[in-house]
Amino acid sequence: MNLSLYLLTVLIWGTTWIAIKLQVGTVAIPLSIAYRFGLAALVLFAVLLLSRRLQPLNRRAQWLCLAQGLCLFCINFMCFYTASQWIPSGLIAVVFSTATLWNALNARVFFGQRIAVNVLAGGALGLAGLALLFWPELAGHAASRETLIGLALALFGTLCFSAGNMLSSLQQKAGFRPLTTNAWGMLYGALILTGYCLVSGTPLSFDWSTQYVSSLVYLAIPGSVIGFTAYLTLVGRMGADRAAYCTVLFPVVALNISAFVEGYQWTAPALVGLALVMLGNVLVFRKPKVVVAPVLAR
């Protein structure tokens, strides 16, 4: 079951970049994100109500959902969308892949979980592999003030993503399932973004073209309803550090799709990077050896 959820998350999030590119246009970025999570919340609430699986939440759980919505379905996306204006997407992918390491550290700080050496080693290998995969894009980008701002935003977005992981883990430890907490979190995220648009004077527009609507539906249902539910379920089952290795693998899926759609050319360094990413995956999911102490005869 865990393997199926893991592969589903990687495949879905590895293809959402196509839909995100189709979203860029006449509609403001924060409004597009609000549409995405507003629609996702509507679908989740409808499914949960019809199946009678919507869990009642106490006041504490609602506050945690609000915080999760702010971190995971609002600030996180605003940071990455804004950072993409100043730094290459490859650099954003490399920064985002550090979520594996941040999750391991945060789980240690907030939950007292032991940091597994294999997860740290696998995350480091995956990070190095992504750097090689995107090296031509990174090497050709000159450092500047805008680059530093973009890096800071990407890092802050990654920290918000990690904080959202911790909040979901906390909710699941209290017995609240990701389907219910995601529905509320996405609703809160959409409302916060809509409020931001109203306060900032962002035009409340909509693009009724087939391209925009179809990409919105893909981002809302497979990308958000299914993707985030599968991922956060993994956070509860496997731990936030191991689940976050998805952030290393889905750029690899995106590059493979780009090879067919956009003519991406694989190079020797990129292939070495791919090998490092896959080796990191093996390390992250390697089960620790159980050492059995010998029984001494009396």
Side-chain angles (χ1 to χ4, degrees):
M1 183 64 176
N2 286 352
L3 179 60
S4 298
L5 291 172
Y6 186 76
L7 292 176
L8 184 65
T9 304
V10 170
L11 290 174
I12 289 176
W13 283 358
T15 56
T16 52
W17 66 273
I18 302 174
I20 289 174
K21 287 182 68 174
L22 296 176
Q23 288 275 285
V24 179
T26 58
V27 181
I29 287 174
L31 195 57
S32 285
I33 302 172
Y35 288 149
R36 170 181 178 173
F37 290 116
L39 178 57
L42 181 64
V43 170
L44 269 175
F45 275 118
V47 170
L48 289 169
L49 287 171
L50 288 173
S51 62
R52 298 183 180 180
R53 296 175 62 190
L54 181 65
Q55 291 178 285
L57 302 183
N58 55 35
R59 183 178 298 179
R60 176 177 178 272
Q62 285 286 5
W63 279 110
L64 289 176
C65 282
L66 176 61
Q68 185 178 330
L70 188 64
C71 292
L72 208 53
F73 308 121
C74 180
I75 297 177
N76 167 36
F77 280 86
M78 284 296 295
C79 284
F80 286 117
Y81 273 86
T82 306
S84 67
Q85 300 176 12
W86 292 309
I87 60 177
S89 58
L91 186 52
I92 293 176
V94 172
V95 175
F96 189 42
S97 71
T98 62
T100 304
L101 308 179
W102 288 114
N103 275 5
L105 179 61
N106 285 333
R108 174 63 180 173
V109 171
F110 294 106
F111 301 123
Q113 295 179 8
R114 184 178 64 86
I115 299 178
V117 176
N118 64 305
V119 172
L120 289 178
L125 275 179
L127 184 58
L130 277 188
L132 280 174
L133 279 167
F134 291 104
W135 182 250
E137 189 177 7
L138 306 185
H141 187 74
S144 64
R145 178 175 175 271
E146 288 74 17
T147 300
L148 294 178
I149 294 174
L151 281 171
L153 284 170
L155 179 59
F156 187 62
T158 304
L159 292 175
C160 286
F161 176 81
S162 181
N165 287 198
M166 298 303 109
L167 290 166
S168 178
S169 182
L170 196 62
Q171 294 276 55
Q172 292 182 67
K173 289 178 187 296
F176 299 111
R177 293 185 293 270
L179 281 171
T180 294
T181 56
N182 279 0
W184 284 105
M186 289 176 183
L187 176 62
Y188 288 136
L191 291 175
I192 292 168
L193 286 167
T194 302
Y196 167 78
C197 290
L198 291 172
V199 171
S200 63
T202 302
L204 300 181
S205 59
F206 191 82
D207 185 350
W208 290 101
S209 68
T210 303
Q211 173 179 293
Y212 186 86
V213 173
S214 59
S215 59
L216 175 63
V217 170
Y218 185 79
L219 288 171
I221 299 177
S224 301
V225 173
I226 300 174
F228 272 102
T229 300
Y231 173 74
L232 293 176
T233 300
L234 284 173
V235 168
R237 291 185 173 192
M238 299 168 50
D241 50 355
R242 295 171 75 195
Y245 202 81
C246 290
T247 63
V248 177
L249 281 182
F250 77 74
V252 176
V253 174
L255 281 180
N256 277 284
I257 294 174
S258 181
F260 291 98
V261 177
E262 299 176 322
Y264 173 79
Q265 298 293 322
W266 285 94
T267 62
L271 290 173
V272 173
L274 178 61
L276 288 177
V277 169
M278 300 315 295
L279 179 58
N281 188 70
V282 172
L283 284 176
V284 166
F285 291 99
R286 187 183 63 181
K287 292 183 179 180
K289 294 182 179 179
V290 179
V291 179
V292 180
V295 179
L296 300 177
R298 291 175 182 251

